[in-house]
Amino acid sequence: AQSVTQLGSHVSVSEGALVLLRCNYSSSVPPYLFWYVQYPNQGLQLLLKYTSAATLVKGINGFEAEFKKSETSFHLTKPSAHMSDAAEYFCAVSADQAGTALIFGKGTTLSVSS
Amino acid sequence: EADIYQTPRYLVIGTGKKITLECSQTMGHDKMYWYQQDPGMELHLIHYSYGVNSTEKGDLSSESTVSRIRTEHFPLTLESARPSHTSQYLCASSAAGRGEQYFGPGTRLTVT
């Protein structure tokens, strides 16, 4: 069975600082992994996805994530935080690309201070 | 940009009322999903559909029902709303053979 653990329900950074949001997964098959962002009163927006093509995945808004099989991790990073990055971030895993429903982590709230 | 719509965005309704949450997508996606999201919690899948006339229950038990008569439309119905149904409901869709899902803006439901 697949599962996702996001370490840290709340992360605070200063504007311009590195953003690191942690995600560890458990999967019985090679996983497909996703990061989504949710702004207040909105749905989820896809940031990036890993589907085994490359271990370092670049997404929108300057975010990227690295798939590390040995650590079962898929951490999200951004070199320099912006105030507009403040939001809720969700990591998700899918067993395959055929459309099996996504399993989500509990989310990490990112706060950015000036 | 994904084109998936949900109405209403916000709904406050009394106990016992019947409600239908609407979800439509214009991308021609075969697969559609309903998730329930409570504050500080992960999303839980309550229903999904892999095509017209196909509906399945998800991992989280729900008293709601869904229908899929047209590819683009996937409404969710609560026959008798209760305070325990208070939550945010998110609709999503995905194309065949693609794992990523695209989400609507959500419906925040409050049952008094």
Side-chain angles (χ1 to χ4, degrees), chain B residues 60-78:
Chain B
L60 182 68
S61 175
S62 174
E63 294 164 342
S64 58
T65 59
V66 293
S67 62
R68 190 88 183 276
I69 298 173
R70 303 197 313 269
T71 298
E72 63 272 22
H73 194 214
F74 191 42
L76 180 146
T77 298
L78 278 166

Side-chain angles (χ1 to χ4, degrees), chain A residues 21-94:
Chain A
L21 305 182
R22 300 177 186 273
C23 173
N24 288 89
Y25 70 90
S26 171
S27 178
S28 56
V29 297
Y32 294 98
L33 295 156
F34 308 85
W35 274 101
Y36 284 86
V37 61
Q38 184 178 33
Y39 298 101
N41 300 316
Q42 294 187 27
L44 276 68
Q45 180 183 6
L46 181 67
L47 271 179
L48 49 80
K49 62 178 180 179
Y50 166 77
T51 55
S52 77
T55 57
L56 183 62
V57 182
K58 293 187 183 299
I60 63 172
N61 301 339
F63 284 94
E64 63 181 36
E66 186 173 8
F67 172 70
K68 292 187 176 181
K69 184 178 179 180
S70 61
E71 299 176 8
T72 61
S73 69
F74 190 56
H75 301 332
L76 182 71
T77 60
K78 182 174 181 177
S80 178
H82 192 272
M83 297 293 286
S84 61
D85 294 327
E88 185 94 15
Y89 292 80
F90 291 92
C91 182
V93 64
S94 173

